[in-house]
Amino acid sequence: IKAIQLEKDAILEEWLNFDHSSLISFLHSFNEEFSEMILDLKKIFGDSFNFTLNEFEMVLSHSQKAIGSLSAFIPLIQKLKEVSKEMKLCLASKKWQRSDFEFNLAYKSLTEIYEKDRKFAEMDEDGIRLNISRVNLLFDSYYSSNVESIRASIRKKFLAKIKITESIASQLTAEEKVLKKKYLSSRRILENEFGKSMRYKSIRDLASSDANEIMTSLKPVWLMSPLSVSDTMPIDISLFDVVIFDEASQITVEEGVPALFRTKQTIIVGDEMQMPPTNFFNSINLQDDEDEELEEKIGISLDADSLLNQGGRKLSSVMLGWHYRSRHESLISFSNAAFYQRGLMTIPDNTIPERNMEPIPPILESSEPVNIDEILKRSISYHHLENGIYDKRRNKDESAYIANMVCELLKSKCRKSIGIVAFSKEQQSEIEESLERLALEDSKFEALLEKEFQRMDEDQYNGLFIKNLENVQGDERDIIIMSVCYGYNHKGKMLMNFGPINRRGGEKRLNVIFSRAKEHMVVVTSIGPHEIKNDYNEGANYFKKFLSYSRHISNGNLTEANAILDALNLTHNSSDLTQERIISQQLRAALEERGYEVDLSIGQSYFKCDLAIRFKGKGHYNTGILIDHDEHYKNKNVLEQYCQRPQILNAFGWKILTVFSKDWLEKPSRVLERIEQLIKNKESQDVEDVESLIVVEEIKEEKPKPKPKPKRRSSGKTINYPVANEIANPNEKHGQSKEYLEEIHRRDLNFIRLEYAEGSSNKFWQIAQETKALIVEYGRIGNHAQTNLKNFETPEKAKEEMEKMMAKKIAKGYIRVSK
């Protein structure tokens, strides 16, 4: 090599002097073959093929092996000829996967939409949240305004009628003269009745006379039972504009039809899976009440036809799917799967059910102490009395145990309302007697029991009740104690006689009992699910499965419990509702990298929380994330989707944030920042504080003169208010200038201050009235306040609105600290 390097000039000279013409001619003879080969390769590999000879040899080797399947790609290769040169280069530049094509095609479509719709391109989470907040703040006002509008309309009509009766005939048209005569007659009849002390005319007579005109104006809404309508109201289709039947499942057809002849429109409301009409006159006559093999007397026909059944068959209908009662989904999930085909929209739990809990041990003696903590930490608790005796439709062991349980609950001061439901009237009486006996033995319990019977919460009766199926529909309590009652008799024999549960429609009775609890359900039973043998009977089969479900929930066997629910509703399996979506997966991965635990698709109905976030080791979810996936946009009810669903989740203890796909695609770091702010309670614009984004109404009063004091007083302290430009800019275009807001800051106003300090929340809200205007300030305690101004027609109206706003804040947990 060194020799060559030293003699390189000599070698180059020798090469140049050599005659290469023959070699060049030889190589030139292959020109056409190489040109054809290059064209063929371009057809296959495109213009970007840049292989070395070794790489080319490898490609040919692979191609030779795959030549058998080439025929399948020939149509595609033919189409490839038609595409542009740039597309060929693009396709040949990398090994494309199907997902790559999907992403790039979707991205291209999105950019085209952005170009055509600039408003959509500029829309982001902040803009949507602003509009949602506006709707939320105006929604209560909408309802109030609606009520006022209806009242004003009724008053106006009534006063117009009275004015006609007091007008001179010469000032009236011919039609008004006829009306005056009619209304004068109506007025005389009513004024005559008002002056009586006895022998009043019947409602039927008054409604049939001219007095009906003013009666319906004075009282536009009448509350009556169907039988009262038949007894008291004349048959006149113009009598009412609309008749509404509530709890129509308990109204027989013959009771309901007469009311239809008093109206032009009918609305029938009810639940076909609730109790049917009661009919005590069709009771089964038993020759021997003590013969346990005969079914017990019942005063209801469970498969009776009701007005609701007939209406459902003959009229158009809509299902009201929201279920608000149960604070835990497990309380309603069995009924939802068994009786409603999972059509109820239940609220996802923010508490994580504890798995594989220690089972509540079997109760050997009814006098055993009851562990209240075991009840309160479970949504459903299963208490099995191994030695409970069933005799003459009574179970004294269960009633004594329930009495002890009520005693412990009241003495524990848990302040939860209690309801007891028995499967028969006899067991209801036995429980009442057990409570009375225990109260006679324990004076402290007697006082607590009497107080609980009279309990009122927020001016509503919420006391302890002991009821059976026939009169429990419509009731609800925080804790429902269910006494199964059925069991073995003194001879150790158990008959498969479950009363009306065995009869056709018995599942409706079960559904009523299963759906009464708001927070906890206690199942007290002397039999286990395996001891029910007549599961060929539909009612008994549901009864058996519920006992099994409640035992699994009580023990924390969630997989087994969910398997029962899935078996109850094979056509709508819960697994169909838990599709894993790309954005959910990406968000989950990003949050888990930051140290959070994230679960997907939390909820047992079709209403789910897409992501649920918790700190490691915690037993409840800290934050919930909703994503605008396909199901989001299938819901045509915009108010429900954007306003009501997040509000309901917030009311059930969640902290909710909606993540929009567009924001996640364009600015994922911003989305993650917002989520972490919410998790750590540093969210600057939550549901209540987002009022700062709302554009307040223009104040039409003249600019007020400044008062001499440079500062104003609030709660006895001098407060530094934010500079005007922090709050003025959104308002300037609506007439509230920076100077005006500075003027407001200089006034000496006495604010009523409310504070909310619970958990990590530390907020204040204060309000003051300035003649016709209200000034509202709010924010985090210690931070700058944000200000809203609103003007009203009169000072009285402003004061009324101030009281309403304060009442709403106090209802949310705010406490008044000063005035």
Side-chain angles (χ1 to χ4, degrees):
I1 295 173
K2 289 182 179 180
I4 293 174
Q5 289 175 342
L6 292 172
E7 300 179 7
K8 57 184 178 181
D9 294 336
I11 294 172
L12 180 61
E13 184 180 354
E14 184 181 351
W15 171 258
L16 292 174
N17 293 330
F18 184 77
D19 185 8
H20 297 284
S21 57
S22 58
L23 179 59
I24 292 172
S25 299
F26 175 73
L27 293 174
H28 182 51
S29 64
F30 292 99
N31 179 47
E32 292 184 5
E33 286 81 356
F34 272 107
S35 298
E36 289 179 7
M37 184 183 71
I38 290 171
L39 289 174
D40 291 338
L41 289 174
K42 284 183 178 181
K43 290 179 181 178
I44 298 174
F45 299 107
D47 292 335
S48 64
F49 110 92
N50 265 331
F51 299 134
T52 64
L53 290 176
N54 289 334
E55 290 172 340
F56 182 60
E57 185 180 7
M58 189 180 299
V59 169
L60 287 177
S61 176
H62 289 311
S63 301
Q64 191 172 9
K65 294 178 182 177
I67 200 166
S69 58
L70 181 62
S71 58
F73 294 94
I74 289 177
L76 301 176
I77 295 172
Q78 294 293 335
K79 289 185 177 181
L80 192 61
K81 292 181 180 179
E82 302 171 4
V83 303
S84 64
K85 181 179 180 181
E86 292 77 10
M87 177 60 75
K88 289 180 182 178
L89 287 171
C90 179
L91 293 175
S93 63
K94 59 176 288 188
K95 291 184 178 180
W96 289 84
Q97 302 294 327
R98 181 173 179 175
S99 59
D100 297 328
F101 283 110
E102 291 174 349
F103 174 82
N104 283 277
L105 289 172
Y107 190 79
K108 182 178 183 297
S109 300
L110 183 62
T111 53
E112 290 177 351
I113 293 171
Y114 283 173
E115 291 173 0
K116 294 177 182 177
D117 190 344
R118 298 307 304 169
K119 287 185 178 180
F120 175 70
E122 295 168 2
M123 184 180 296
D124 59 6
E125 178 193 6
D126 292 326
I128 295 174
R129 292 180 78 230
L130 171 61
N131 290 318
I132 292 172
S133 301
R134 282 174 173 159
V135 173
N136 286 336
L137 290 174
L138 294 173
F139 203 60
D140 289 340
S141 300
Y142 162 75
Y143 277 126
S144 300
S145 301
N146 199 27
V147 170
E148 290 300 324
S149 175
I150 293 171
R151 286 178 177 172
S153 175
I154 293 170
R155 290 192 191 102
K156 183 178 179 180
K157 289 179 181 178
F158 176 72
L159 293 175
K161 293 176 182 179
I162 298 302
K163 185 177 180 181
I164 289 175
T165 64
E166 296 174 346
S167 300
I168 301 172
S170 60
Q171 298 176 347
L172 303 176
T173 64
E175 183 179 326
E176 288 176 337
K177 289 178 181 179
V178 175
L179 292 175
K180 177 181 179 180
K181 183 178 180 181
K182 188 175 182 179
Y183 293 155
L184 279 173
S185 174
S186 176
R187 188 172 177 179
R188 280 195 297 268
I189 293 170
L190 286 178
E191 288 175 349
N192 183 49
E193 289 300 306
F194 294 156
K196 288 182 178 180
S197 59
M198 57 187 298
R199 296 180 181 175
Y200 299 106
K201 286 187 177 182
S202 67
I203 297 176
R204 180 182 291 273
D205 291 339
L206 289 173
S208 303
S209 67
D210 291 338
N212 182 57
E213 291 290 337
I214 294 185
M215 282 172 61
T216 52
S217 296
L218 285 170
K219 296 292 182 183
V221 179
W222 293 43
L223 181 63
M224 308 173 75
S225 70
L227 287 176
S228 297
V229 172
S230 301
D231 290 341
T232 60
M233 305 304 295
I235 298 178
D236 183 357
I237 197 170
S238 63
L239 201 60
F240 295 104
D241 295 317
V242 60
V243 167
I244 302 173
F245 293 94
D246 192 22
E247 294 287 0
S249 66
Q250 294 190 326
I251 301 174
T252 61
V253 176
E254 58 270 23
E255 287 177 345
V257 166
L260 302 179
F261 289 91
R262 275 84 172 175
T263 184
K264 301 172 184 176
Q265 183 182 8
T266 302
I267 299 173
I268 301 173
V269 183
D271 183 353
E272 290 190 67
M273 293 309 301
Q274 296 283 314
M275 288 296 294
T278 300
N279 190 345
F280 289 99
F281 299 101
N282 290 338
S283 299
I284 300 174
N285 293 319
L286 301 179
Q287 296 178 354
D288 186 0
D289 288 345
E290 296 185 359
D291 187 354
E292 292 183 347
E293 295 192 17
L294 295 175
E295 292 189 355
E296 61 188 80
K297 289 183 179 180
I298 55 172
I300 52 176
S301 176
L302 288 172
D303 57 349
D305 208 6
S306 67
L307 182 67
L308 182 66
N309 296 137
Q310 287 295 330
R313 298 188 190 107
K314 304 290 194 301
L315 307 174
S316 59
S317 62
V318 60
M319 180 176 178
L320 305 178
W322 279 102
H323 177 83
Y324 300 99
R325 175 179 296 150
S326 302
R327 304 295 295 191
H328 300 285
E329 279 190 294
S330 54
L331 293 170
I332 193 61
S333 292
F334 185 88
S335 289
N336 197 13
F339 309 124
Y340 300 103
Q341 291 74 51
R342 283 195 165 119
L344 294 180
M345 187 180 290
T346 58
I347 316 301
D349 290 345
N350 74 321
T351 55
I352 303 169
E354 189 175 339
R355 292 180 178 271
N356 302 320
M357 291 186 288
E358 189 70 25
I360 296 174
I363 295 95
L364 302 178
E365 296 291 339
S366 59
S367 59
E368 287 185 18
V370 181
N371 189 338
I372 300 305
D373 292 335
E374 293 294 329
I375 294 174
L376 298 181
K377 76 178 184 180
R378 291 170 164 86
S379 57
I380 302 177
S381 56
Y382 182 85
H383 303 250
H384 183 211
L385 278 68
E386 285 197 342
N387 301 319
I389 301 299
Y390 176 65
D391 181 39
K392 296 181 181 179
R393 295 189 287 277
R394 293 172 181 256
N395 191 319
K396 294 184 178 180
D397 298 292
E398 286 189 15
S399 64
Y401 182 74
I402 289 171
N404 288 332
M405 184 183 298
V406 172
C407 180
E408 294 297 329
L409 281 169
L410 296 183
K411 288 182 178 179
S412 70
K413 299 181 180 179
C414 67
R415 292 300 300 159
K416 296 188 182 297
S417 57
I418 305 169
I420 304 172
V421 183
F423 273 50
S424 65
K425 292 180 180 179
E426 289 80 6
Q427 183 65 4
Q428 174 190 353
S429 299
E430 186 64 37
I431 295 170
E432 290 170 346
E433 292 169 7
S434 295
L435 285 170
E436 290 173 4
R437 284 194 296 269
L438 189 59
L440 291 174
E441 298 171 3
D442 187 340
S443 58
K444 183 180 179 181
F445 172 59
E446 183 180 21
L448 291 170
L449 184 63
E450 183 62 29
K451 185 178 180 181
E452 189 67 20
F453 275 130
Q454 306 300 325
R455 177 174 175 174
M456 300 288 290
D457 292 333
E458 297 179 358
D459 298 326
Q460 295 289 328
Y461 176 71
N462 200 28
L464 171 68
F465 69 71
I466 306 105
K467 296 188 177 183
N468 62 68
L469 169 72
E470 291 182 3
N471 53 19
V472 77
Q473 182 165 318
D475 288 303
E476 62 180 23
R477 290 295 184 269
D478 296 331
I479 301 175
I480 290 293
I481 303 171
M482 185 181 81
S483 176
V484 171
C485 183
Y486 303 112
Y488 292 91
N489 58 22
H490 290 289
K491 299 177 182 179
K493 182 181 179 182
M494 188 180 83
L495 303 176
M496 297 297 112
N497 171 22
F498 304 121
I501 292 176
N502 284 352
R503 299 170 68 83
R504 181 183 173 189
E507 69 277 4
K508 297 181 180 180
R509 179 181 199 186
L510 294 173
N511 184 37
V512 171
I513 297 178
F514 297 164
S515 56
R516 300 300 98 200
K518 293 166 67 176
E519 297 184 19
H520 307 279
M521 185 173 186
V522 182
V523 178
V524 180
T525 178
S526 299
I527 56 174
H530 61 282
E531 294 171 299
I532 299 176
K533 306 298 183 183
N534 63 332
D535 48 9
Y536 52 84
N537 177 283
E538 188 173 18
N541 186 36
Y542 280 123
F543 182 37
K544 177 179 181 177
K545 288 182 177 179
F546 178 77
L547 287 180
S548 181
Y549 171 78
S550 61
R551 185 173 64 181
H552 286 313
I553 292 292
S554 180
N555 297 342
N557 302 328
L558 303 184
T559 303
E560 292 82 351
N562 288 329
I564 292 174
L565 299 182
D566 292 340
L568 286 167
N569 191 251
L570 297 174
T571 59
H572 196 77
N573 196 297
S574 61
S575 62
D576 296 337
L577 303 173
T578 56
Q579 301 175 2
E580 294 186 352
R581 299 178 174 92
I582 294 175
I583 293 180
S584 298
Q585 292 292 339
Q586 291 175 347
L587 271 170
R588 181 182 190 177
L591 290 167
E592 285 179 343
E593 285 180 4
R594 287 162 170 77
Y596 303 108
E597 292 186 357
V598 184
D599 294 327
L600 300 180
S601 297
I602 299 301
Q604 296 184 11
S605 70
Y606 62 92
F607 175 35
K608 295 182 180 296
C609 189
D610 297 299
L611 280 86
I613 305 166
R614 56 173 164 160
F615 293 110
K616 290 184 177 179
K618 295 292 184 180
H620 66 278
Y621 294 113
N622 178 282
T623 305
I625 306 296
L626 300 178
I627 299 173
D628 62 335
H629 43 64
D630 293 345
E631 297 298 324
H632 174 98
Y633 292 106
K634 286 179 182 177
N635 186 1
K636 302 301 181 183
N637 190 332
V638 175
L639 184 65
E640 176 192 288
Q641 186 65 51
Y642 287 91
C643 300
Q644 293 176 342
R645 290 194 181 189
Q647 284 182 341
I648 289 168
L649 286 169
N650 280 315
F652 273 63
W654 289 87
K655 290 190 298 182
I656 289 297
L657 182 70
T658 301
V659 171
F660 297 96
S661 306
K662 182 174 181 290
D663 291 300
W664 177 246
L665 182 65
E666 295 176 351
K667 43 187 178 182
S669 58
R670 166 66 172 156
V671 171
L672 290 172
E673 180 186 353
R674 290 291 294 274
I675 293 173
E676 287 204 284
Q677 285 179 345
L678 186 61
I679 293 172
K680 297 175 181 177
N681 293 312
K682 294 181 180 178
E683 177 73 350
S684 60
Q685 295 169 345
D686 60 359
V687 175
E688 296 177 6
D689 295 338
V690 80
E691 296 172 6
S692 60
L693 296 173
I694 306 304
V695 178
V696 296
E697 294 181 1
E698 177 180 356
I699 295 183
K700 300 179 181 179
E701 290 186 329
E702 296 181 1
K703 184 176 179 181
K705 295 180 180 180
K707 292 189 177 181
K709 293 186 180 181
K711 296 182 179 179
R712 60 188 173 92
R713 184 176 67 257
S714 175
S715 306
K717 298 179 181 180
T718 300
I719 298 176
N720 294 321
Y721 291 91
V723 293
N725 58 13
E726 290 185 40
I727 56 176
N729 291 338
N731 303 323
E732 285 181 359
K733 60 184 178 182
H734 288 267
Q736 291 181 214
S737 65
K738 184 186 300 184
E739 292 78 11
Y740 182 83
L741 293 172
E742 290 174 344
E743 188 77 37
I744 289 293
H745 290 168
R746 288 193 290 270
R747 298 186 184 185
D748 184 18
L749 300 174
N750 289 322
F751 275 76
I752 299 174
R753 184 179 177 93
L754 305 176
E755 292 184 357
Y756 182 82
E758 184 174 323
S760 56
S761 296
N762 197 25
K763 300 178 284 189
F764 76 91
W765 182 88
Q766 57 190 28
I767 188 168
Q769 182 178 355
E770 172 74 3
T771 61
K772 299 179 183 179
L774 291 181
I775 299 95
V776 178
E777 295 192 342
Y778 48 89
R780 308 276 177 192
I781 295 176
N783 292 352
H784 286 315
Q786 302 197 54
T787 304
N788 268 356
L789 309 172
K790 193 171 184 180
N791 193 49
F792 295 89
E793 296 177 357
T794 63
E796 291 76 17
K797 186 67 176 175
K799 184 176 180 181
E800 180 184 351
E801 184 65 22
M802 181 173 73
E803 291 174 352
K804 288 182 181 179
M805 294 170 71
M806 288 174 58
K808 289 178 183 178
K809 289 295 179 184
I810 291 171
K812 292 179 179 179
Y814 280 78
I815 299 173
R816 183 168 174 173
V817 294
S818 62
K819 184 176 180 179

